[in-house]
Amino acid sequence: MSIRDAVILGGFSLSIIGNVFAVTVRILRGRRKQREDAIRPTYETSAFDHAPVALVVRERHGTVRAWNRAAERLYGWPRDKIIGMNACSTLETTFSMDLADVVATLESDGRWAGHVEQKDMSGHSITALVQWESVRGSGGRPDLVVEANIDLTGDTAAIFGRLSEERYRTIFDTLAVGIWEHDFRAVKHELNRLHAEGIVDIRKYIKENKDFVARMRRTVTISNPNDAALKLFNIASRTDFFKNLSDFLIEDDSTFEHCILAIDGDETKFVCESDFRLATGENVTAIVALSFPSGAGYDRVTGCILDIREQRKMEAMIAATRAELEQALRVASLGELSATIAHEVNQPLAAVVNFAQAAQCWICAPVPNLLEAGAALTDVIEAAQNAAAVVRRVHTLLGKAKPEHAPIPVDQVISTAVLLAQGDAEAHGITIVQELQVPGSLVLGDRILLQQVIVNLLGNAIQAIDAFDPAFRRITLTMSANHERVVLTMSDTGGGFSPDGFEKAFQTFYTTRAQGMGLGLSICRSIIEAHNGTIEIANDDKSDGAVITIALPRAFATGII
C-alpha cells in the first residue's frame, strides 16, 4: 500500500501531509549550513510542529533530533525525553521486511515506505504506516532521515480486511467455475421444527410428504453470483440473475432431496450431479458442490457449479470412437484370421496338388499303375483332411481356446511335416535331412498344430535357400532329448537373419519377401508358447544360414515330467 492510500484510509489529507513533509525536508536542507545548536528551533517551526501526522527527524543510525506534537500524541513520549534516544530501539520497531532490505532501499532510492509494528511509551502496540526520506549531510555533518508516521492501529483490520476482500473478489470473479451463495436458513429452520415435533426420520417424512422437497426448494434464495455463473446461464448482469433455486432447478430433480438430508445430518459438504434449466429452456448438466458451515449460519452457503456439458459431449464422442475402433478391430481380426488361414492351408493345398498330379501321371502313363495312383490319391485325401484340420486348429488358436493335448511322438510329427514339404523342396532342388537321435520321444500337445509349425519352418527355409541360391542346398532337422525337454533344431543353407530380422522376425505381418504375408514365425511362436515351449532364432556361422531351435516339455506315457 502506498503512503497516499494509507493517508486516505486513515482520514488525512494527502496534500497537507505532503506539503508539510516537503517543507520539513527543504528546511533541513537549507539549514544544514547553520551551526548544530541552531538546528532544533528550525525543526519546531509551525508547519512541522502542527502537522496532523507524526514527524520525526533522526540521524541515520537512529538518534532522534526532532519530534513534533503528533509524534508525542502517537507514542506518548515527550520531545524533551525522546530527543537524543534511538528511535527504533526505544519504540521497539519491527519491520514488515528484512531491515537490511529497508536500509538498501533507503540508500539507493533516498526514500522507503512500508508498515511497521511499534510500541508507545506505555508499552501498547501500534501499527504505523511510515515514509522515510534521506537528507544528505554536508561538511562532515551526519545524514538525517525524516519520518512521516501514520497510525493504522484502530483501522488496521478494516483497511486490510477491505483489501483482502477486494483481492478475493477478484479471484472469485475470475474463476472458471460458477459460484454463488445460497440462503438455506428456512430449510434448516423447518428441519429443526420437524425434529422438535418428534419427527426423527426425515427421509421417511419426505417420502410421505411429496410436496415437502418442492416447498423447501422455493425457500432457498440465490445471491452474489460470479462472472462464470453469469456466463453459464448466459445472463448479462448480477441484477438479472436468478433469485430463487426453484427458478432454474428442474422440477423432477432428485438431488435436492439428498441436499436436505445432508443439511439434516449436519454434513459439511454436499456434492452431486444435477440438471439446471436455462432461460432458453435448454438443460445444463453440472457438478454441484456445497460447503455448509459448521454449526449455525446457513445464510451464505457457497455453491460451486462446474458445467460438464463439454465433458459429456467428449464422453459421447469417445464412446462413439471406441465403438468405431472396436468395429475396426473386429474387421482387422477377421482379416488377420483370413490371412492366417490362407497362409496355413497353402502348404497342405500345395501337397494336395502335388499328390493329385502324381496320381494323374500314374494313370496317364502308357502302362497305367493303378496301385501307385491309388496310393497318391490316398495321400490327396490325407492332405485335404490335414488342410481342414489346420483351419480348425488355427481358428481355435486365434480364438484363444486351449489346443488339444495328447502324448504324441515328435519324430512322427516331423516325418509327416517333411512328407508334406518334400515336393516343394524337390522342385527347388533342396534336400531335407532328418537326424532324429531319440525316436519315439513324446511331447504333450496338438499333433496338427505342431506339425504345421514344422511345415511353416520348412517352407521358410525353402524360400530362403531359393532366394540366397547357395551351391549347397540343404535343410537339416535334428532332434535330441533329455529327461525334461525335447529339442528340435532346424538349420538351412540360406542367407540367415538380418540384424533387423532378429528384432522383428516374430512380429505379425513382418516379412522380407515381396509375396510374403509375415505370419509364419508369429504363428509358430503362438503355437509353441501354447505348448509351454520356446522357440529361438540364430545364424549358423558355418553355413551362413538360419538356425531355429524349438524346445518342448517332454512327456512320457503317464504325462508330462
Side-chain angles (χ1 to χ4, degrees), residues 111-126:
R111 61 179 55 84
W112 174 80
H115 70 273
V116 297
E117 297 293 331
Q118 297 173 314
K119 289 188 177 179
D120 63 13
M121 189 175 181
S122 58
H124 296 120
S125 295
I126 295 173

Side-chain angles (χ1 to χ4, degrees), residues 23 30 65 95 166 220-221 256 259 273 338 398 430 437 464 522 559:
V23 167
R65 301 292 301 279
F95 296 86
E166 291 175 358
V220 179
T221 57
F256 190 70
C259 178
E273 183 177 313
S338 301
L398 293 179
I430 298 172
Q437 301 174 2
S522 175

Side-chain angles (χ1 to χ4, degrees), residues 523-545:
I523 294 173
C524 289
R525 183 171 65 176
S526 298
I527 293 173
I528 295 301
E529 289 179 350
H531 287 78
N532 298 317
T534 60
I535 180 170
E536 298 176 353
I537 60 175
N539 283 333
D540 191 337
D541 295 334
K542 296 180 180 179
S543 65
D544 293 328

